[in-house]
Amino acid sequence: MRRRISFHLFSLHFILLFISIHIEGWQPPLRQWWKQRQETSLVSKDTDTSSIPTRLPKAPKLDKLEYHPLIGILKHFQKDTAEALLELANYCRENDLPGVRLSAGIAGTFELITDPKLVEFVLSDKGQPNYKEGIFYKSALDRRGVGLLAGQGSLLSDGPDHTRKRRLILPGMDRSSLEGFLEIMETVSMEYSQSLTSNSTSTSTTQNVGELLSAIAMKIVGLALFSTNVVEKSIYNDIVVCLEHVVWYTRHPLAAPMWIPTRRNRKFRKALKRLDDLVYSLIENGQRQMQGSKEGGLGSKNDLLSMLLQARYDDGGGSKLDDKELRDEIMTLFLAGHETTAITLCWSLWYLGDPKHEHWQDIIVEEYDRIQNETGYTPGVVEDPEALKNTRSVLCEALRLRTPSYAFDREVQQKIIAPGNILWKRKALLMLSPLAMHLDPRYFDNPEEFDPSRFLEYKEGKDLWDGPYDRSVYLPFGAGRKRCIGYKFAQWESLVILGTLLKHVKVKRPEGATSVEWEPGVTLRPDRDLELVFEPREKRVDTGSISGKEESSIVD
């Protein structure tokens, strides 16, 4: 009997040691409890301190979700994270709860929040004490998974370090910088759109829309980042391998650490090395050109890499990014810049290919022709409330129904009492799901229906892409200080690609097409390769391209 007890104690010690090594910042529950007992609580400005603060209730086991004795609800998260989040959000709505606590077994607990006030509180600075530093950080799980690809760049940094790094990148994402990328977006979109008609020997052609849009978005991002075309099948395959591994590694807290040469780890490391070699070679090439320039610049190049190479930290010493920091930022911008746009456009075309919604294609083409005959795509046009409101509404609705960034988390850095007198302990892991908010009937009528008209209206003084909704219920790009830094690039890119593509072809679903489910990975991708039928539009003669240059006639 004594031997059995000793064996079980040794096994428990080994498991706890394994987790503590694997999950950065993790501590045994007893130690966490003792530290939390010694802490004082921050109190939000909107909190009623007259009553005793309470924690979110613990969620019961729901019939539709799978659980495991060792890892709890992570069992279903490994199967379908999006479905699990929606079921839990429905439970909160039906029971009028602002959120619930969930057990992940030996990996601890996390708290799903579904109340708009709590979402706004966590993501924005409103009402937060110590708002300059922030108290809601990226979690150790994020760093463990996404950190394999993104390193320690602005995506995963927090506090003063995040502010410091974000300030370096923001100038490359402002309106004046993005204006130079509009012509790249138009030229690449036109190239691929014309290829769909010029190479077609029949009245229609069937294409893998995912591969098509990934190629378009990847080429645009490559030219904008490096002034280089990086579209290669091998690179695309390496990206897929890396993203799939990141998701798997994040969802399996007891997976073998990366230094163990398992088959999965070896496959990931080989793919990552090829991507790293590509990025470092482009950085080296940019540095070489800078050194060879008499003026200390990069000549006529106006890409984001050039901007980052010349950027200096605002720390009094004028220090610049080292090669590792450059790599982390470039890798983040490259992967996020093409993946989310391609997925959004993929879902948009799928919905537009439905016979019930095909009329939206003609409306988008009318908008495209009108601006092309007037000023073309300019910053003033893409941000005008009326000029492209139908194109924008279609994209907003696709972002609502199939949000690429469907879930993310935050780790509480100090014990705090949140609005509603909710108590969050230090190191509490909070999960937020934009997808669950977007499909909530309390905020969107008929939330499962594709209806772009819901975004035709907008609030004065607010972001046009928010439509008539608050950012606490519609947040495809996040909110607050950590809102997607490239959101405006993605918005402009999506507008140009969708309008240009539909100008040349009409999109239809194949005969007998079945419904498409989602596959939650790093983004919310379709669960299979989507094939759509592209029919060339009628012969037309254009008066000019988006950038104002002469364009040859497009013939069927």
Side-chain angles (χ1 to χ4, degrees):
M1 182 68 176
R2 188 175 298 174
R3 288 183 179 179
R4 285 186 180 180
I5 293 174
S6 299
F7 174 79
H8 289 309
L9 287 175
F10 175 81
S11 300
L12 178 61
H13 173 76
F14 179 81
I15 291 173
L16 294 178
L17 179 63
F18 189 83
I19 296 174
S20 65
I21 292 172
H22 246 4
I23 303 180
E24 179 188 349
W26 187 91
Q27 295 176 340
L30 185 60
R31 187 175 179 186
Q32 288 186 35
W33 173 82
W34 179 252
K35 291 191 70 173
Q36 290 164 357
R37 291 274 295 180
Q38 311 306 311
E39 293 176 353
T40 57
S41 300
L42 292 174
V43 181
S44 71
K45 296 178 181 178
D46 300 327
T47 297
D48 177 14
T49 57
S50 61
S51 57
I52 299 175
T54 58
R55 299 189 67 187
L56 290 173
K58 188 175 180 180
K61 290 187 177 181
L62 303 180
D63 294 337
K64 293 183 179 181
L65 301 182
E66 297 181 20
Y67 299 83
H68 189 277
L70 196 61
I71 58 174
I73 201 170
L74 280 184
K75 172 72 174 177
H76 202 100
F77 273 63
Q78 293 171 358
K79 176 183 176 183
D80 190 334
T81 304
E83 180 185 54
L85 290 170
L86 288 178
E87 286 297 326
L88 292 163
N90 289 338
Y91 172 81
C92 291
R93 183 180 70 253
E94 292 168 359
N95 292 276
D96 196 24
L97 298 173
V100 286
R101 280 185 295 139
L102 304 163
S103 172
I106 61 173
T109 62
F110 60 94
E111 307 185 26
L112 173 66
I113 58 176
T114 58
D115 186 284
K117 290 183 180 179
L118 291 179
V119 170
E120 182 181 23
F121 177 72
V122 171
L123 295 183
S124 71
D125 302 330
K126 184 179 179 182
Q128 289 186 20
N130 194 27
Y131 68 91
K132 290 183 180 179
E133 301 294 331
I135 60 171
F136 300 105
Y137 283 15
K138 294 281 190 175
S139 73
L141 287 174
D142 261 345
R143 292 189 177 89
R144 178 178 182 268
V146 180
L148 294 174
L149 271 178
Q152 299 301 314
S154 57
L155 179 66
L156 295 178
S157 60
D158 289 292
D161 187 45
H162 175 262
T163 303
R164 178 171 169 261
K165 291 177 177 178
R166 192 175 176 94
R167 283 175 179 169
L168 282 182
I169 304 173
L170 278 175
M173 291 294 174
D174 62 19
R175 177 170 169 154
S176 60
S177 298
L178 293 179
E179 183 176 3
F181 300 145
L182 274 174
E183 186 174 351
I184 293 175
M185 297 171 183
E186 178 258 336
T187 302
V188 174
S189 301
M190 189 70 70
E191 172 192 336
Y192 279 88
S193 298
Q194 289 179 335
S195 70
L196 291 173
T197 56
S198 61
N199 294 334
S200 178
T201 57
S202 61
T203 57
S204 65
T205 179
T206 301
Q207 294 277 339
N208 182 323
V209 70
E211 288 186 359
L212 171 68
L213 294 169
S214 290
I216 296 174
M218 192 183 296
K219 185 168 184 178
I220 290 173
V221 171
L223 292 173
L225 280 178
F226 320 113
S227 297
T228 303
N229 180 13
V230 294
V231 178
E232 292 183 15
K233 185 68 175 178
S234 59
I235 294 175
Y236 176 78
N237 291 337
D238 288 337
I239 291 173
V240 171
V241 168
C242 288
L243 292 178
E244 287 179 349
H245 182 82
V246 164
V247 174
W248 184 88
Y249 199 65
T250 302
R251 292 176 181 171
H252 293 77
L254 300 182
M258 289 305 302
W259 54 267
I260 295 181
T262 63
R263 183 174 63 176
R264 180 183 287 274
N265 287 350
R266 292 198 310 272
K267 183 179 179 181
F268 168 76
R269 287 196 171 281
K270 288 179 181 179
L272 181 61
K273 185 180 185 305
R274 287 190 289 266
L275 290 178
D276 278 342
D277 289 344
L278 170 65
V279 172
Y280 278 119
S281 67
L282 291 167
I283 292 173
E284 184 181 355
N285 183 53
Q287 292 171 332
R288 192 182 305 116
Q289 291 186 43
M290 177 177 285
Q291 292 173 357
S293 173
K294 295 180 181 179
E295 300 177 357
L298 290 177
S300 60
K301 291 180 69 174
N302 187 32
D303 53 35
L304 287 171
L305 174 58
S306 306
M307 182 272 294
L308 289 174
L309 285 170
Q310 298 176 78
R312 295 294 183 272
Y313 283 121
D314 185 18
D315 55 5
S319 58
K320 62 180 182 179
L321 283 79
D322 59 33
D323 286 357
K324 179 61 168 61
E325 290 175 315
L326 280 168
R327 177 265 175 210
D328 291 346
E329 300 299 347
I330 289 295
M331 185 71 80
T332 300
L333 291 170
F334 179 61
L335 294 175
H338 98 272
E339 171 76 3
T340 53
T341 300
I343 294 300
T344 299
L345 289 167
C346 191
W347 285 115
S348 298
L349 290 180
W350 176 254
Y351 286 120
L352 291 174
D354 188 328
K356 294 186 298 184
H357 309 304
E358 284 184 355
H359 64 282
W360 281 97
Q361 297 186 45
D362 298 326
I363 295 173
I364 290 173
V365 173
E366 288 176 8
E367 280 188 338
Y368 182 99
D369 287 338
R370 183 170 61 254
I371 66 162
Q372 188 183 31
N373 292 330
E374 295 175 1
T375 61
Y377 277 143
T378 65
V381 167
V382 294
E383 296 194 343
D384 184 276
E386 298 298 324
L388 292 168
K389 69 176 183 179
N390 291 289
T391 310
R392 183 176 60 249
S393 296
V394 166
L395 292 166
C396 286
E397 181 68 345
L399 283 166
R400 184 190 68 82
L401 278 169
R402 295 294 182 264
T403 316
S405 301
Y406 59 96
F408 49 87
D409 58 30
R410 292 290 185 268
E411 189 178 86
V412 183
Q413 298 305 299
Q414 186 170 347
K415 189 176 180 181
I416 186 171
I417 302 173
N421 220 21
I422 302 297
L423 174 65
W424 285 327
K425 297 183 178 181
R426 180 178 178 272
K427 293 298 179 182
L429 186 62
L430 311 179
M431 178 160 284
L432 302 87
S433 174
L435 181 67
M437 304 300 289
H438 296 172
L439 297 179
D440 193 319
R442 291 176 295 182
Y443 316 123
F444 300 92
D445 295 332
N446 301 315
E448 299 287 347
E449 293 295 320
F450 178 76
D451 181 13
S453 64
R454 72 175 89 233
F455 285 96
L456 291 176
E457 302 297 327
Y458 63 94
K459 291 184 177 181
E460 285 292 338
K462 300 289 186 178
D463 192 320
L464 295 174
W465 288 72
D466 291 342
Y469 305 101
D470 292 329
R471 202 166 289 170
S472 56
V473 299
Y474 181 68
L475 56 161
F477 298 102
R481 71 177 75 211
K482 291 189 175 178
R483 190 184 190 196
C484 172
I485 198 168
Y487 77 93
K488 195 172 290 292
F489 182 98
Q491 291 171 351
W492 290 19
E493 182 184 20
S494 300
L495 286 170
V496 174
I497 294 175
L498 186 60
T500 308
L501 192 65
L502 293 180
K503 171 193 171 183
H504 290 81
V505 294
K506 191 174 184 69
V507 178
K508 293 185 177 182
R509 293 184 184 179
E511 192 73 27
T514 57
S515 61
V516 176
E517 303 299 327
W518 59 49
E519 182 179 309
V522 173
T523 55
L524 201 64
R525 303 177 63 92
D527 66 346
R528 65 173 188 268
D529 290 338
L530 289 187
E531 290 194 340
L532 290 173
V533 178
F534 293 88
E535 294 182 353
R537 289 189 177 270
E538 296 178 359
K539 178 180 178 181
R540 64 202 306 156
V541 178
D542 297 311
T543 58
S545 69
I546 302 171
S547 57
K549 299 177 182 179
E550 289 301 317
E551 181 189 349
S552 59
S553 301
I554 300 172
V555 183
D556 294 348

